[in-house]
């Protein structure tokens, strides 16, 4: 052995772990609520089958309890299975085990049917021998009970997991109007909508998406308002999804949207039950995913993405003013940096002499060209924005102050950027914050860099060409068959005035005609009958 071998690292040949290639055999049985293998009817055999199906003994949270029931003056073996953490144990003890183990000996129980008719008082109770249903139920907070001699197993609903209750909206806060927000629980979300729409025509279609996760999804619509073809197309797309898992409405949105490459969001997401209810009453469809506090509203248009939930609770002069401000803010967040580059690089003669001299003097110590200067600032702004989201809430405001004030002032003092550029970037950032829809704001942030390069390459001509192509792409995009440019591309009659000018509530007689709902009018021609004295 040489001396240098003592100082060299010798890779150990022991405990070397490497992931081996997995077998591609189809060893996974798809969990479907509508079918699967059946129980045999033999208690001992079915008992063993359920233990294997529920992975009892392998999973520490799958609990089992064996006991006996007194039926026809003889003791009958029984067993229950449940998932610890998904059920309410107090309900199991008081309303399942106690009646079956004790009360069955106090009263005369002569048949298996008496178990459900006399002993058990659960509101949701069913009998089934399909393993697919039993596997789904136990993973959704039910107790599965097997009784010797019974032909089918019992599924008892005893959900009791911890979850967040109904709280105030976080991203769609308003001054006037309801303050309820959707939660992560599907049934609570559907109940919030039914609380606002108390009509028997409100339909809720239930689906399970994900061969492994079996995520519950609810498609809600009003049967006598929503267009039949829109409902059928929505259900067709959802039924045809074949994935292993899905956990949020944002994932489902990407699976059913028409175009994935466009920057424009094709569905409207909201956390407000009142906004979802209004969409249903206008003939639209609401899709709710269990585990997601946001629901999808479809179809939607570009102009609806720039609307806020508060618009319906303000008087029409205020709404028109605020919508105009939002539109200006969106245009500034999209085009202002590109217009600045175009003016400085190609169209300086458009500026007054005083402003032009001020820009030239402020840029004199800056060593970078305008295009590089603004890209640096925009990237820094995006980094600060992203960092403020990821850091703890207590540090977010501090980070924003440090990034906006200290770094900005230091960059100007060091001659890295010009003061006028700080103003441009700040106005752009504020304009993007004024956009009510998060995905529409992201679209503007992404396209802003495109217009910066177009302005630097060809000035106003490049920006106009980019706008022309952008508008063509956006108007060509459809949301469940409805053009995103409606009611302007194509032009419709009833929708055009409401998009440009928000009328008083007593003049909002018709629903949007581009949705083609079954009920054209939402209120009488004269809704304020007290005003028209005849």
């Amino acid at each position: 052995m040489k001396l240098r071998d003592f100082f060299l690292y010798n890779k150990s040949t022991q405990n070397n772990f490497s992931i081996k290639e997995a077998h591609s055999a189809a060893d996974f049985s798809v969990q479907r609520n509508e079918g699967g293998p059946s129980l045999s009817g033999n208690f001992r055999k079915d008992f063993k089958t359920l233990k294997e199906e529920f992975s009892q003994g392998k999973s520490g949270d799958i609990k089992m309890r064996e006991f006996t029931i007194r039926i026809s003056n003889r003791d009958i073996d029984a067993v229950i299975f449940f998932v610890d953490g998904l059920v309410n144990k107090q309900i199991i003890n008081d309303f399942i085990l106690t009646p079956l183990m004790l009360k069955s000996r106090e009263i005369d129980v002569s048949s298996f049917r008496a178990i459900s008719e006399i002993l058990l008082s659960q509101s949701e109770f069913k009998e089934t021998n399909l393993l697919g249903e039993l596997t789904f139920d136990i993973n959704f907070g039910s107790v599965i009970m097997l009784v010797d001699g019974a032909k089918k197993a019992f599924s008892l609903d005893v959900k009791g997991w911890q979850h967040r209750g109904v709280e105030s909206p976080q991203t769609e806060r308003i001054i006037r109007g309801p303050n309820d927000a959707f939660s992560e629980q599907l049934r609570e979300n559907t109940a919030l909508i039914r609380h606002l729409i108390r009509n028997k025509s409100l339909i809720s279609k239930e689906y399970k998406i994900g061969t492994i996760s079996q995520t519950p999804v609810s498609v809600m619509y009003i049967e006598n308002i929503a267009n039949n073809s829109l409902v059928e197309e929505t259900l067709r797309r959802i039924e045809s999804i074949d994935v292993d898992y899905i956990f949020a409405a944002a994932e489902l949105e990407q699976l059913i949207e028409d175009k994935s490459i466009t920057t424009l969001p094709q569905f409207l997401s909201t956390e407000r039950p009142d906004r979802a209810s209004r969409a249903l009453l206008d003939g639209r469809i609401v899709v709710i995913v269990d585990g997601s506090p946001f629901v999808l509203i479809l179809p939607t248009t570009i102009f609806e993405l720039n609307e806020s939930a508060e618009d319906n609770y303000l008087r029409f002069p205020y709404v028109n003013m605020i919508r105009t401000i939002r539109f200006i803010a969106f245009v500034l967040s999209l085009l202002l940096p590109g217009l600045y580059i175009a003016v400085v690089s190609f169209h300086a003669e458009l500026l007054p002499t005083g402003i032009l001299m001020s820009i030239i003097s402020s840029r004199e110590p800056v060593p970078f060209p305008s295009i590089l200067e603004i890209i640096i600032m925009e990237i820094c702004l995006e980094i600060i924005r992203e960092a403020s989201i990821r850091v703890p809430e207590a540090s977010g405001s501090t980070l924003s102050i440090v990034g906006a004030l200290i770094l900005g002032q230091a960059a100007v003092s060091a001659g890295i950027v010009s003061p006028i550029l700080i103003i441009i970037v700040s106005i752009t950032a504020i304009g993007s914050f004024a956009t009510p829809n998060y995905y529409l704001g992201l679209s503007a942030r992404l396209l802003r860099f495109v217009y910066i390069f177009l302005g630097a390459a060809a000035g106003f001509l490049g920006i106009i060409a980019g706008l022309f192509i952008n508008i063509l792409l956006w108007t060509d995009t459809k949301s469940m068959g409805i053009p995103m440019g409606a009611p302007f591309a194509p032009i419709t009659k009833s929708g055009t005035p409401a998009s440009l000018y928000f009328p008083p509530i007593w003049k909002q007689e018709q629903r949007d005609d581009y949705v083609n709902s079954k009920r054209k009018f939402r209120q009488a021609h004269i809704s304020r009958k007290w005003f028209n004295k005849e």
Side-chain angles (χ1 to χ4, degrees):
M1 181 180 293
K2 297 181 181 180
L3 181 62
R4 65 183 180 88
D5 292 338
F6 288 98
F7 301 96
L8 294 177
Y9 169 73
N10 293 324
K11 187 176 181 181
S12 176
T13 59
Q14 300 179 353
N15 299 326
N16 288 334
F17 171 76
S18 61
I19 300 179
K20 298 180 181 180
E21 183 177 358
H23 296 289
S24 59
D27 56 355
F28 173 73
S29 58
V30 177
Q31 298 179 6
R32 294 292 186 187
N33 190 30
E34 62 271 10
S38 302
L39 297 177
S40 64
N42 182 282
F43 178 75
R44 292 300 168 190
K45 184 177 180 181
D46 292 340
F47 183 17
K48 182 180 179 180
T49 301
L50 289 179
K51 289 181 67 176
E52 295 175 353
E53 184 73 13
F54 299 151
S55 300
Q56 208 280 327
K58 297 180 182 179
S59 299
D61 58 344
I62 304 293
K63 304 300 181 182
M64 179 185 70
R65 175 70 162 88
E66 297 184 66
F67 57 96
T68 60
I69 306 175
R70 191 75 173 177
I71 301 178
S72 299
N73 296 322
R74 64 189 184 95
D75 291 336
I76 304 297
D77 292 330
V79 62
I80 62 171
F81 296 88
F82 62 91
V83 179
D84 191 14
L86 295 183
V87 299
N88 189 321
K89 290 185 178 180
Q90 191 67 35
I91 296 178
I92 296 177
N93 294 333
D94 295 344
F95 298 98
I96 296 179
L97 293 179
T98 298
L100 294 176
M101 297 173 66
L102 300 180
K103 291 185 178 181
S104 64
R105 288 165 170 78
E106 299 175 357
I107 61 178
D108 184 19
V109 179
S110 58
S111 64
F112 291 104
R113 181 171 295 276
I115 294 177
S116 60
E117 294 179 349
I118 300 176
L119 297 178
L120 297 176
S121 57
Q122 267 63 34
S123 59
E124 293 188 27
F125 176 94
K126 70 177 181 181
E127 301 179 28
T128 180
N129 63 345
L130 298 178
L131 284 177
E133 289 190 23
L134 296 175
T135 304
F136 174 79
D137 289 347
I138 192 175
N139 287 292
F140 204 59
S142 294
V143 166
I144 304 303
M145 184 173 67
L146 193 64
V147 181
D148 189 7
K151 297 180 180 180
K152 297 182 180 181
F154 301 96
S155 177
L156 312 171
D157 179 41
V158 289
K159 298 182 183 68
W161 59 76
Q162 297 296 323
H163 58 84
R164 183 172 64 96
V166 179
E167 299 178 356
S168 299
Q170 299 297 318
T171 61
E172 294 179 281
R173 296 180 179 179
I174 64 175
I175 298 176
R176 300 188 64 179
N179 282 321
D180 293 338
F182 289 119
S183 66
E184 286 76 12
Q185 302 303 312
L186 174 70
R187 198 50 66 211
E188 283 189 2
N189 294 341
T190 57
L192 286 172
I193 293 178
R194 287 195 178 274
H195 173 70
L196 296 174
I197 305 177
R198 305 172 183 88
N199 194 286
K200 65 178 182 180
S201 297
L202 179 59
I203 306 298
S204 176
K205 292 280 188 179
E206 307 292 333
Y207 292 95
K208 307 293 184 299
I209 297 182
T211 55
I212 298 177
S213 65
Q214 287 284 280
T215 305
V217 174
S218 178
V219 181
M220 302 190 73
Y221 60 93
I222 299 180
E223 191 173 23
N224 58 0
I225 296 180
N227 187 282
N228 290 337
S229 60
L230 175 61
V231 174
E232 293 172 0
E233 177 63 16
T234 304
L235 298 182
R236 183 187 71 85
R237 295 190 186 189
I238 291 179
E239 291 171 355
S240 62
I241 294 175
D242 188 5
V243 295
D244 280 354
Y245 58 89
I246 184 173
F247 295 134
E251 295 176 308
L252 181 63
E253 177 182 0
Q254 299 177 59
L255 292 171
I256 62 175
E257 63 184 2
D258 289 82
K259 291 185 178 180
S260 300
I261 195 172
T262 181
T263 61
L264 195 66
Q266 295 158 53
F267 303 126
L268 181 63
S269 61
T270 181
E271 60 175 340
R272 299 188 58 87
D274 59 324
R275 194 172 192 183
S277 300
R278 286 182 183 274
L280 288 169
L281 292 168
D282 284 336
R284 289 172 169 80
I285 297 176
V286 169
V287 181
I288 308 174
V289 180
D290 185 61
S292 176
F294 289 87
V295 306
L296 300 178
I297 297 175
L298 49 103
T300 188
T301 64
I302 300 174
F303 305 98
E304 292 169 356
L305 295 174
N306 200 41
E307 296 176 1
S308 171
E310 195 169 27
D311 292 354
N312 297 290
Y313 304 107
L314 296 178
R315 298 180 65 247
F316 74 98
Y318 312 144
V319 176
N320 290 314
M321 179 192 69
I322 293 174
R323 284 190 177 182
T324 303
I325 293 174
R326 286 199 209 111
F327 178 75
I328 295 173
F330 176 75
V331 172
L332 290 177
S333 66
L334 184 66
L335 300 177
L336 185 59
L339 292 174
Y340 169 77
I341 290 295
V343 170
V344 171
S345 303
F346 294 94
H347 311 286
E349 68 278 1
L350 296 177
L351 297 176
T353 304
I355 297 178
L356 181 60
M357 296 303 297
S358 176
I359 294 176
I360 293 175
S361 61
S362 65
R363 293 204 69 260
E364 186 174 355
V366 179
F368 306 113
S370 299
I371 178 67
L372 184 58
E373 180 187 9
I374 198 167
I375 287 178
I376 291 175
M377 287 305 301
E378 286 290 341
I379 292 177
C380 290
L381 175 65
E382 295 299 329
I383 292 174
I384 294 173
R385 191 201 306 258
E386 189 69 16
S388 63
I389 298 175
R390 308 304 168 197
V391 299
E393 186 176 355
S395 305
S397 59
T398 304
L399 178 64
S400 300
I401 294 173
V402 170
L405 298 180
I406 300 178
L407 292 181
Q409 183 62 36
V412 173
S413 302
I416 299 177
V417 296
S418 59
I420 185 66
L421 187 61
I422 296 293
I423 298 175
I424 295 294
V425 173
S426 301
I427 295 175
T428 302
I430 295 173
S432 63
F433 291 142
T435 304
N437 186 273
Y438 177 71
Y439 290 120
L440 186 62
L442 281 178
S443 178
R445 288 163 58 183
L446 176 62
L447 294 175
R448 186 188 308 153
F449 289 95
V450 176
Y451 286 109
I452 288 175
F453 286 107
L454 290 175
F460 286 165
L461 179 62
I463 292 178
I464 293 174
L467 271 175
F468 180 74
I469 296 175
N470 192 6
I471 292 174
L472 284 180
L473 292 176
W474 280 6
T475 53
D476 184 58
T477 304
K478 292 185 177 181
S479 173
M480 300 302 297
I482 303 298
M484 294 290 293
F488 294 100
I491 296 177
T492 62
K493 295 181 179 179
S494 63
T496 303
S499 299
L500 286 178
Y501 169 74
F502 188 80
I505 188 172
W506 48 271
K507 282 190 176 182
Q508 300 175 19
E509 301 173 3
Q510 297 186 13
R511 291 180 170 86
D512 297 326
D513 58 353
Y514 50 84
V515 183
N516 294 323
S517 60
K518 295 178 181 178
R519 292 172 65 93
K520 183 177 180 181
F521 295 93
R522 60 161 64 101
Q523 62 188 28
H525 178 63
I526 300 177
S527 57
R528 301 191 302 171
K529 296 187 182 299
W530 62 267
F531 189 78
N532 299 82
K533 298 180 180 180
E534 296 181 359

